[in-house]
Amino acid sequence: MMSEETVTATLLLSCPDQRGLVARIAHFIFERGGNILDLDEHVDANEGLFFLRVTWDMQDFSLAGGKVPAAFQPLADEFQAEWMINLTSIHNRRRLAIFVSKYDHCLQEILWRHGLGEFDADLALIVSNHPDLKPLADLHHVPFHVFTINKDNKLEQEQQEISLLKQENIDTVILARYMQVLSSRFVGEYPNRIINIHHSFLPAFMGGNPYKQAHERGVKIIGATSHYVTDNLDEGPIIEQDIIRISHKDCLADLIRKGRDLERMVLARALRLHLQDRILVYGNKTVVFE
Amino acid sequence: MMSEETVTATLLLSCPDQRGLVARIAHFIFERGGNILDLDEHVDANEGLFFLRVTWDMQDFSLAGGKVPAAFQPLADEFQAEWMINLTSIHNRRRLAIFVSKYDHCLQEILWRHGLGEFDADLALIVSNHPDLKPLADLHHVPFHVFTINKDNKLEQEQQEISLLKQENIDTVILARYMQVLSSRFVGEYPNRIINIHHSFLPAFMGGNPYKQAHERGVKIIGATSHYVTDNLDEGPIIEQDIIRISHKDCLADLIRKGRDLERMVLARALRLHLQDRILVYGNKTVVFE
Amino acid sequence: MMSEETVTATLLLSCPDQRGLVARIAHFIFERGGNILDLDEHVDANEGLFFLRVTWDMQDFSLAGGKVPAAFQPLADEFQAEWMINLTSIHNRRRLAIFVSKYDHCLQEILWRHGLGEFDADLALIVSNHPDLKPLADLHHVPFHVFTINKDNKLEQEQQEISLLKQENIDTVILARYMQVLSSRFVGEYPNRIINIHHSFLPAFMGGNPYKQAHERGVKIIGATSHYVTDNLDEGPIIEQDIIRISHKDCLADLIRKGRDLERMVLARALRLHLQDRILVYGNKTVVFE
Amino acid sequence: MMSEETVTATLLLSCPDQRGLVARIAHFIFERGGNILDLDEHVDANEGLFFLRVTWDMQDFSLAGGKVPAAFQPLADEFQAEWMINLTSIHNRRRLAIFVSKYDHCLQEILWRHGLGEFDADLALIVSNHPDLKPLADLHHVPFHVFTINKDNKLEQEQQEISLLKQENIDTVILARYMQVLSSRFVGEYPNRIINIHHSFLPAFMGGNPYKQAHERGVKIIGATSHYVTDNLDEGPIIEQDIIRISHKDCLADLIRKGRDLERMVLARALRLHLQDRILVYGNKTVVFE
């Protein structure tokens, strides 16, 4: 039976603020035998919006996991809500694809943390436009697919990639310093499910060579930003950012070295938040329920 | 009418974890016409404890503010909860007393932030064992009371202080680098309502001269810790901590200078959290609902 | 005698890198009886540039303070150096002017630190385009001059301000959230001696309303930047930056509140570095000898 | 010829402060044709001590690298200095041994950074009291030696380890979460050349289970400390520390997870500083020339 396999359910919901939202949602869970493990809500008083994340134990829930969304639909309709319910299950973990080019640091970090069990997901495959990191993928026994990209074959190759992702039932795509810009079509297939790491504290230093830009501007801190990918390059909803101090003693190579550490930490934190269903996107911003 | 004056109510509650807590508490608020503005809960799975903070709008609540606690009592009893409900009111703000000795930096910071409206409370009076900071108190028109302390008169003077605090209806006492240890009797009068700032990242460098201790040990970071005062010196529940990097170039005077900035920032943050009813004490620890 | 009054001398120098620079400069000081208290140098290998800051004790120096620059000139010429020598003297401290508008937090911070002796300078006067902060200036007994600015009188009023600064022998101008853009002429009078605080981590959110820009972009950190003022608004050499984490719970007012603390800390640190002659400007960047 | 192989020389020196130290040392280098690449000095005015680190280019130096110490000896004697000169050479890199038990995170980090070329040293061998991490060592082709330790064989096994280290010409030992306390004899063989990582901001939470101690105390920040190993456990000279914020939501497992990231970053930074000869130990403290 499905309900035996489903361990927890998490509802992410946003809607116009109104009285009784928490009471009615909590009651929906309570009357079906669910035990709330974590509930966090936020009201944006300026915009009159209500945001909620609630996780409950499915062990004694009266519905099988797969039937929860249909049961919740009437309430959601009444609230005019945007919402999703994610179920964690021992037999059905989310599947990840990592896109890389030649830099290995972000991939290393994710492979290592995955091995430690920090992410509640399966690492299904790695895609790259270069063969360089195949040995690393092999070490961790993760299938490695090369799709060489040039000006002429880009859309065609992307179509092959999308087919592969569909076939492999990929839920989330991680751009771990992947040096190609994805087309609108690709992005449209995975809304709020493609996570990128940009090597600056966006919106400073958008575009290429942000460390070079930072060095030339003479800033005293550099940063990294993880965000969902949208059609507008480097402008998607920001998930997580962090910074490190630098000084005049740091040449460009030092910035790149220090930035590597930032990039992998920030990307790993963003991925963890995503996989724990802690991120609710609205407009071009995120609510991160930490 | 009381309910017209009461703007919001905040419930802080801890109890053994059990099913339905959020649903039933949210329903208690909802059925009386309250609109939940902010709800945060936490379950400590290891200890089987449930912690909740919920704030609601009292504007259309069916009960006057003063009657809320009695109405909630049956539910709290059923849950075997420790709890408190704080009401914010336009006519009835919490009253603060600040205790100082000779250092002015923490007092300055609180006076300045109070002037900006960062604290939802009235600064009723300042107590000191030295007259030095009276001019600063006068500038801000806050009554300044000197109670000179020596070995022989300590308990007697404290009794005078307690009388003053009672008479002035003081809710919270802030030790802004007050250089006297309060007696058990004093501490017992204001459980979890006396906030101290200690100039180290406790539990490192407890006791006197923590900067000197830090300098001698050669640490690379120094800290400050704000905590509730208990009978055990420097061992009360920690509210907030922060740190700053130092180097071998910093002599003891530099540590004191850098530490001043930490102390006033950390104390101000702790006070703000306290006055927003964001701190729930259990055992010797705090849950801080940020 | 001048040499008795002069306590220390500090040389800041940059020149093309070449062999023997440190040895020859140290020898210049040594053979005249100076004891080096602090020496820091940096070579930018990519650009072939040498940067040095050296401070020495003038107590037994064979030259009076005022004669040091002329004595050093031949060496500087040989090195093709840009350089300055600053003398600290018990009778001749640097004089500061602070420009403000209506926000008091940066001014408060500087006044308070000045009172504690954190800055080795005299606070000569305050200039404002509004009368609002006069009471604060009066409290600290600092002369307060109002120069109302409108579209028509700007250049004329600036001329008056410059005259006042000249007359008062002002060395450094601090823009403590002064809400007027200075003209090129004004800026040209005080190259690398006008310090501004901008309320973002430049170059992100240049121009007006950076907190509003940050809120709309949904960043997870906000910053503040202190820089020397040049003709290009918000693009002068950066002295110091810092950041603070924010979340979706922070509305625009929270960003402004949190940012206040950043602004005053960053400006105070920049001012201290400047007054200790720790900043060497080259191109549009700074070397900060910390 | 040796001088052709030697790329740079670095002098670390401490002595009683006196006039002319910088000038005479810089002159020593200059007159032999050395070009100073980096010079940093510090005077501890309270203790009357002078500290210096200077690195110079050996390319045109008139002495072979191996002859530099003898040439400098007379000057050092005159200054009553403690000093060392380290030579970097393309044919003669320092050799590292890493000691581990079962945790892999610090080892992983060092192996990965070593592969990127971040450390100017050779990773000669790994020692462990357990066989668990042998596969990881094998992947990186680093010899892995198991020395099982129990109460009875400890000193004997240590003697074997020391023999191995001697035989392999090991310069520096890294304790990468090695769960055995080294004996005085072992420590005495490598003064200021054994680097440990402790999982707390020392001196808070010395001894075992610091994360458990931190969790029980309810601190709001946790830390990690890298230090040289001395006979007094957890009390050696501190090289580097860093912290991360935690909250009541973090259970013990979260502290361990977050702490892992701190530990590997702090250890890696300490190792890099050590290998760049940036650390001068005096008494139980360090001067870190960054």
Side-chain angles (χ1 to χ4, degrees):
Chain A
M1 249 190 62
M2 185 102 187
S3 64
E4 289 172 297
E5 296 172 359
T6 307
V7 178
T8 62
T10 297
L11 167 67
L12 283 169
L13 176 147
S14 63
C15 67
D17 192 25
Q18 54 202 278
R19 202 165 296 173
L21 288 168
V22 174
R24 295 183 66 191
I25 293 168
H27 190 69
F28 169 87
I29 296 164
F30 176 50
E31 71 182 357
R32 284 163 185 80
N35 189 29
I36 291 178
L37 301 171
D38 196 31
L39 184 149
D40 198 358
E41 61 93 57
H42 171 65
V43 173
D44 185 326
N46 292 327
E47 306 199 29
L49 289 174
F50 172 88
F51 304 95
L52 176 119
R53 177 184 183 270
V54 56
T55 298
W56 65 94
D57 190 334
M58 289 290 290
Q59 199 181 340
D60 300 323
F61 208 64
S62 62
L63 292 176
K67 294 185 177 171
V68 177
F72 186 71
Q73 185 77 53
L75 217 51
D77 289 347
E78 188 184 330
F79 299 157
Q80 296 179 281
E82 291 185 52
W83 61 287
M84 56 188 292
I85 289 177
N86 285 317
L87 305 165
T88 63
S89 153
I90 47 177
H91 296 305
N92 191 16
R93 305 215 307 168
R94 247 180 283 192
R95 292 170 63 76
L96 309 179
I98 307 184
F99 279 48
V100 295
S101 291
K102 294 184 173 181
Y103 293 119
D104 75 338
H105 54 289
C106 289
L107 178 60
Q108 283 270 18
E109 187 74 20
I110 292 170
L111 288 167
W112 176 70
R113 290 181 187 264
H114 183 260
L116 280 170
E118 289 195 9
F119 304 124
D120 186 18
D122 290 324
L123 218 167
L125 61 91
I126 298 169
V127 164
S128 182
N129 55 332
H130 295 285
D132 306 52
L133 299 181
K134 184 167 191 310
L136 181 58
D138 290 349
L139 274 181
H140 290 81
H141 310 292
V142 182
F144 188 86
H145 302 264
V146 178
F147 293 87
T148 312
I149 308 271
N150 57 44
K151 256 185 285 185
D152 298 326
N153 73 355
K154 178 156 186 166
L155 285 179
E156 189 186 328
Q157 289 291 70
E158 273 198 353
Q159 188 53 55
Q160 297 293 322
E161 291 167 353
I162 292 171
S163 297
L164 174 66
L165 300 182
K166 297 285 178 196
Q167 177 188 316
E168 288 287 337
N169 198 21
I170 297 301
D171 176 83
T172 295
V173 175
I174 304 151
L175 307 186
R177 296 297 311 274
Y178 180 62
M179 307 301 269
Q180 291 286 327
V181 177
L182 298 180
S183 72
S184 282
R185 191 178 57 176
F186 194 123
V187 172
E189 293 280 349
Y190 292 93
N192 299 331
R193 289 192 289 143
I194 307 174
I195 299 175
N196 186 42
I197 179 73
H198 184 84
H199 38 319
S200 83
F201 46 68
L202 288 174
F205 310 129
M206 295 198 283
N209 281 329
Y211 291 128
K212 188 156 176 289
Q213 291 182 58
H215 191 252
E216 284 170 1
R217 181 60 187 91
V219 290
K220 301 302 182 189
I221 54 178
I222 57 171
T225 303
S226 188
H227 63 92
Y228 287 120
V229 175
T230 62
D231 277 359
N232 299 313
L233 188 64
D234 299 339
E235 297 190 5
I238 292 172
I239 302 169
E240 172 67 343
Q241 301 186 289
D242 210 345
I243 61 101
I244 193 169
R245 295 189 80 84
I246 57 169
S247 81
H248 61 273
K249 295 183 187 175
D250 293 304
C251 66
L252 182 52
D254 294 313
L255 267 55
I256 291 168
R257 175 178 54 81
K258 290 185 168 181
R260 271 199 299 261
D261 295 341
L262 270 185
E263 291 164 32
R264 53 196 178 115
M265 289 293 166
V266 169
L267 178 58
R269 289 209 295 263
L271 179 56
R272 186 175 160 92
L273 292 167
H274 174 83
L275 292 173
Q276 292 184 334
D277 300 311
R278 294 189 178 276
I279 308 171
L280 198 158
V281 176
Y282 73 107
N284 200 41
K285 298 163 72 168
T286 61
V287 169
V288 179
F289 294 104
E290 272 182 293
Chain B
M1 249 188 64
M2 184 100 186
S3 63
E4 290 173 296
E5 295 172 0
T6 307
V7 179
T8 63
T10 297
L11 167 67
L12 283 169
L13 175 147
S14 64
C15 66
D17 194 24
Q18 53 202 280
R19 202 164 297 173
L21 288 168
V22 174
R24 294 183 64 191
I25 293 168
H27 190 68
F28 170 86
I29 296 164
F30 175 50
E31 71 182 357
R32 285 163 183 80
N35 189 30
I36 291 178
L37 300 172
D38 196 30
L39 184 150
D40 198 357
E41 60 93 57
H42 170 65
V43 173
D44 184 325
N46 292 326
E47 305 199 29
L49 289 175
F50 172 88
F51 303 94
L52 175 119
R53 177 184 184 270
V54 55
T55 298
W56 65 94
D57 190 333
M58 289 290 289
Q59 198 180 340
D60 300 322
F61 208 65
S62 63
L63 292 176
K67 295 186 175 170
V68 178
F72 186 71
Q73 185 76 54
L75 216 52
D77 289 347
E78 187 184 331
F79 298 157
Q80 296 179 279
E82 292 186 52
W83 61 288
M84 57 188 290
I85 289 177
N86 284 316
L87 305 165
T88 62
S89 154
I90 47 176
H91 296 305
N92 192 16
R93 305 215 307 168
R94 248 180 282 191
R95 291 169 66 75
L96 309 178
I98 308 184
F99 279 47
V100 295
S101 291
K102 292 184 172 182
Y103 293 119
D104 76 337
H105 53 289
C106 289
L107 177 60
Q108 282 271 16
E109 187 74 20
I110 292 170
L111 288 168
W112 175 70
R113 288 181 189 265
H114 183 262
L116 279 171
E118 288 195 10
F119 304 126
D120 187 18
D122 289 324
L123 218 168
L125 60 92
I126 297 169
V127 165
S128 183
N129 55 334
H130 294 286
D132 305 52
L133 299 182
K134 185 167 191 311
L136 181 58
D138 290 349
L139 273 182
H140 290 81
H141 309 295
V142 182
F144 188 86
H145 302 263
V146 178
F147 293 87
T148 312
I149 307 269
N150 58 45
K151 258 186 285 184
D152 300 326
N153 72 355
K154 180 157 183 164
L155 285 178
E156 187 186 330
Q157 290 291 71
E158 272 198 353
Q159 189 53 56
Q160 297 295 321
E161 290 167 353
I162 293 171
S163 296
L164 174 65
L165 299 182
K166 297 285 179 196
Q167 177 187 318
E168 288 288 336
N169 199 23
I170 296 302
D171 177 83
T172 295
V173 175
I174 304 151
L175 306 185
R177 294 300 309 276
Y178 180 62
M179 306 301 269
Q180 292 286 326
V181 177
L182 298 179
S183 73
S184 281
R185 190 177 57 176
F186 194 122
V187 172
E189 293 280 348
Y190 293 91
N192 299 332
R193 289 193 289 142
I194 307 175
I195 300 174
N196 187 40
I197 179 74
H198 184 84
H199 38 319
S200 83
F201 45 68
L202 289 174
F205 311 129
M206 293 198 285
N209 280 331
Y211 290 128
K212 188 156 175 290
Q213 292 181 57
H215 190 252
E216 283 171 0
R217 179 62 187 91
V219 290
K220 301 303 183 189
I221 53 177
I222 56 171
T225 304
S226 189
H227 63 90
Y228 286 120
V229 175
T230 63
D231 275 1
N232 299 313
L233 190 64
D234 299 340
E235 296 189 6
I238 292 173
I239 302 169
E240 172 67 344
Q241 301 185 289
D242 210 345
I243 61 100
I244 192 169
R245 294 189 81 84
I246 57 169
S247 82
H248 62 274
K249 294 183 188 176
D250 293 304
C251 66
L252 182 53
D254 293 314
L255 266 56
I256 291 169
R257 174 177 54 80
K258 288 185 170 183
R260 270 199 300 260
D261 295 341
L262 270 185
E263 293 165 30
R264 54 196 177 115
M265 288 294 166
V266 170
L267 177 59
R269 289 210 294 264
L271 178 57
R272 187 176 160 91
L273 291 167
H274 173 83
L275 293 174
Q276 292 183 334
D277 299 311
R278 294 189 177 278
I279 309 172
L280 197 158
V281 176
Y282 73 107
N284 200 41
K285 298 163 72 168
T286 61
V287 169
V288 178
F289 295 104
E290 272 181 293
Chain C
M1 250 190 61
M2 184 100 187
S3 62
E4 290 172 296
E5 296 171 359
T6 307
V7 178
T8 63
T10 298
L11 166 68
L12 284 168
L13 175 147
S14 64
C15 66
D17 193 24
Q18 54 203 279
R19 203 164 296 172
L21 289 168
V22 173
R24 295 182 66 191
I25 293 168
H27 190 69
F28 170 86
I29 297 164
F30 176 51
E31 70 182 356
R32 285 163 183 80
N35 189 30
I36 291 177
L37 301 172
D38 196 33
L39 184 150
D40 197 357
E41 61 92 59
H42 170 66
V43 172
D44 185 325
N46 292 327
E47 306 198 29
L49 288 174
F50 172 87
F51 304 94
L52 175 122
R53 177 185 183 269
V54 56
T55 298
W56 65 94
D57 190 333
M58 289 290 289
Q59 199 181 340
D60 300 323
F61 208 65
S62 62
L63 292 176
K67 294 185 177 172
V68 177
F72 186 71
Q73 185 77 51
L75 217 53
D77 289 347
E78 188 185 331
F79 299 158
Q80 297 180 278
E82 292 186 51
W83 61 288
M84 57 188 292
I85 290 178
N86 285 317
L87 305 164
T88 62
S89 154
I90 47 176
H91 297 305
N92 192 16
R93 305 215 306 168
R94 245 179 286 189
R95 291 170 63 77
L96 309 177
I98 307 183
F99 279 46
V100 294
S101 291
K102 293 184 172 181
Y103 293 119
D104 76 338
H105 54 288
C106 289
L107 177 59
Q108 282 271 17
E109 187 74 19
I110 292 170
L111 287 168
W112 175 71
R113 290 181 188 266
H114 183 261
L116 280 169
E118 289 195 9
F119 303 124
D120 186 19
D122 289 323
L123 218 167
L125 61 90
I126 298 169
V127 164
S128 182
N129 56 332
H130 295 284
D132 305 52
L133 299 182
K134 186 169 191 309
L136 181 58
D138 290 349
L139 275 182
H140 290 81
H141 309 294
V142 182
F144 188 86
H145 303 263
V146 178
F147 293 87
T148 311
I149 308 269
N150 58 44
K151 256 184 286 182
D152 300 325
N153 73 355
K154 179 154 186 168
L155 286 179
E156 188 187 329
Q157 289 290 71
E158 273 198 352
Q159 189 52 56
Q160 297 294 322
E161 291 167 354
I162 293 170
S163 297
L164 174 65
L165 300 182
K166 297 285 178 194
Q167 178 188 316
E168 289 287 336
N169 199 22
I170 297 300
D171 177 84
T172 295
V173 175
I174 304 151
L175 307 186
R177 295 299 309 276
Y178 180 61
M179 306 301 269
Q180 292 285 327
V181 177
L182 298 180
S183 72
S184 281
R185 191 179 56 177
F186 194 123
V187 171
E189 293 280 348
Y190 292 92
N192 299 331
R193 290 194 286 143
I194 307 174
I195 299 174
N196 187 40
I197 179 73
H198 184 83
H199 38 318
S200 83
F201 45 69
L202 289 174
F205 310 129
M206 293 199 285
N209 281 328
Y211 290 128
K212 187 155 177 289
Q213 291 182 58
H215 189 253
E216 284 170 1
R217 181 60 187 92
V219 290
K220 301 302 184 190
I221 52 177
I222 56 170
T225 304
S226 188
H227 62 92
Y228 286 120
V229 175
T230 61
D231 276 0
N232 299 313
L233 190 64
D234 299 339
E235 297 191 5
I238 292 172
I239 302 169
E240 172 67 344
Q241 300 186 289
D242 210 344
I243 61 100
I244 193 169
R245 294 189 80 84
I246 57 169
S247 81
H248 62 273
K249 295 184 188 176
D250 292 305
C251 65
L252 182 53
D254 293 313
L255 266 56
I256 292 169
R257 175 177 54 80
K258 289 184 169 183
R260 271 199 299 260
D261 295 342
L262 270 186
E263 292 164 32
R264 53 197 178 116
M265 289 293 166
V266 170
L267 178 57
R269 290 209 294 264
L271 179 56
R272 186 175 160 91
L273 292 167
H274 173 84
L275 292 173
Q276 292 184 333
D277 299 311
R278 294 189 178 278
I279 309 171
L280 198 157
V281 176
Y282 72 109
N284 200 40
K285 299 164 70 167
T286 61
V287 169
V288 179
F289 295 104
E290 272 182 294
Chain D
M1 252 189 60
M2 183 101 187
S3 62
E4 290 172 298
E5 296 172 0
T6 307
V7 179
T8 62
T10 297
L11 166 67
L12 284 168
L13 176 147
S14 63
C15 67
D17 193 24
Q18 54 204 277
R19 202 164 296 171
L21 289 166
V22 174
R24 295 182 65 191
I25 293 168
H27 190 69
F28 170 86
I29 297 164
F30 175 51
E31 70 183 357
R32 285 163 183 80
N35 190 29
I36 291 178
L37 300 172
D38 197 30
L39 184 151
D40 198 358
E41 61 93 58
H42 171 65
V43 173
D44 185 324
N46 292 327
E47 307 199 28
L49 289 173
F50 172 87
F51 305 94
L52 175 120
R53 176 184 184 269
V54 56
T55 297
W56 65 93
D57 190 334
M58 288 290 288
Q59 199 180 341
D60 300 324
F61 208 66
S62 61
L63 293 175
K67 296 186 176 171
V68 178
F72 187 71
Q73 187 76 52
L75 217 51
D77 289 346
E78 188 185 331
F79 299 158
Q80 297 179 279
E82 293 185 53
W83 61 288
M84 57 188 292
I85 289 177
N86 285 316
L87 304 164
T88 63
S89 153
I90 48 176
H91 297 304
N92 192 17
R93 303 216 306 169
R94 248 180 282 191
R95 290 170 64 76
L96 309 178
I98 308 184
F99 278 47
V100 295
S101 291
K102 294 184 172 180
Y103 293 119
D104 76 337
H105 54 288
C106 289
L107 178 59
Q108 282 270 18
E109 186 75 18
I110 292 169
L111 287 168
W112 175 72
R113 288 180 189 265
H114 183 261
L116 279 170
E118 289 196 8
F119 303 125
D120 186 18
D122 289 324
L123 219 167
L125 60 90
I126 297 169
V127 165
S128 183
N129 56 333
H130 295 285
D132 306 52
L133 299 182
K134 184 168 191 309
L136 181 59
D138 290 349
L139 274 181
H140 291 81
H141 310 294
V142 182
F144 187 86
H145 302 264
V146 178
F147 294 88
T148 312
I149 308 269
N150 58 44
K151 257 184 286 184
D152 300 325
N153 72 355
K154 179 155 185 165
L155 286 179
E156 188 186 328
Q157 290 290 71
E158 272 198 355
Q159 188 52 55
Q160 297 294 321
E161 291 167 353
I162 293 171
S163 297
L164 175 65
L165 300 183
K166 298 284 179 196
Q167 177 187 317
E168 289 287 336
N169 199 22
I170 296 301
D171 176 84
T172 295
V173 176
I174 303 152
L175 307 185
R177 295 299 309 275
Y178 180 61
M179 307 301 269
Q180 293 285 327
V181 177
L182 299 179
S183 73
S184 281
R185 190 179 56 177
F186 194 123
V187 171
E189 293 280 349
Y190 292 92
N192 299 331
R193 289 193 287 142
I194 308 174
I195 299 174
N196 186 41
I197 179 74
H198 184 84
H199 37 320
S200 83
F201 45 69
L202 288 173
F205 311 129
M206 293 199 285
N209 280 330
Y211 291 128
K212 187 156 176 290
Q213 291 182 58
H215 190 251
E216 284 170 1
R217 180 60 186 92
V219 291
K220 302 302 184 191
I221 54 179
I222 57 171
T225 304
S226 189
H227 62 92
Y228 287 120
V229 175
T230 62
D231 276 0
N232 299 313
L233 188 65
D234 298 340
E235 297 191 6
I238 292 172
I239 302 169
E240 172 67 342
Q241 302 185 288
D242 211 346
I243 60 101
I244 192 169
R245 295 190 80 85
I246 57 169
S247 81
H248 62 273
K249 295 184 188 176
D250 292 305
C251 65
L252 182 52
D254 293 314
L255 265 56
I256 291 168
R257 174 177 54 80
K258 288 184 169 183
R260 271 199 299 260
D261 295 341
L262 270 185
E263 292 165 31
R264 54 196 177 117
M265 289 292 165
V266 169
L267 178 58
R269 289 209 295 265
L271 178 57
R272 186 175 161 91
L273 291 167
H274 173 84
L275 293 173
Q276 292 184 334
D277 300 311
R278 294 189 177 277
I279 309 172
L280 198 158
V281 176
Y282 73 109
N284 200 41
K285 298 163 72 167
T286 60
V287 168
V288 179
F289 295 104
E290 273 180 293

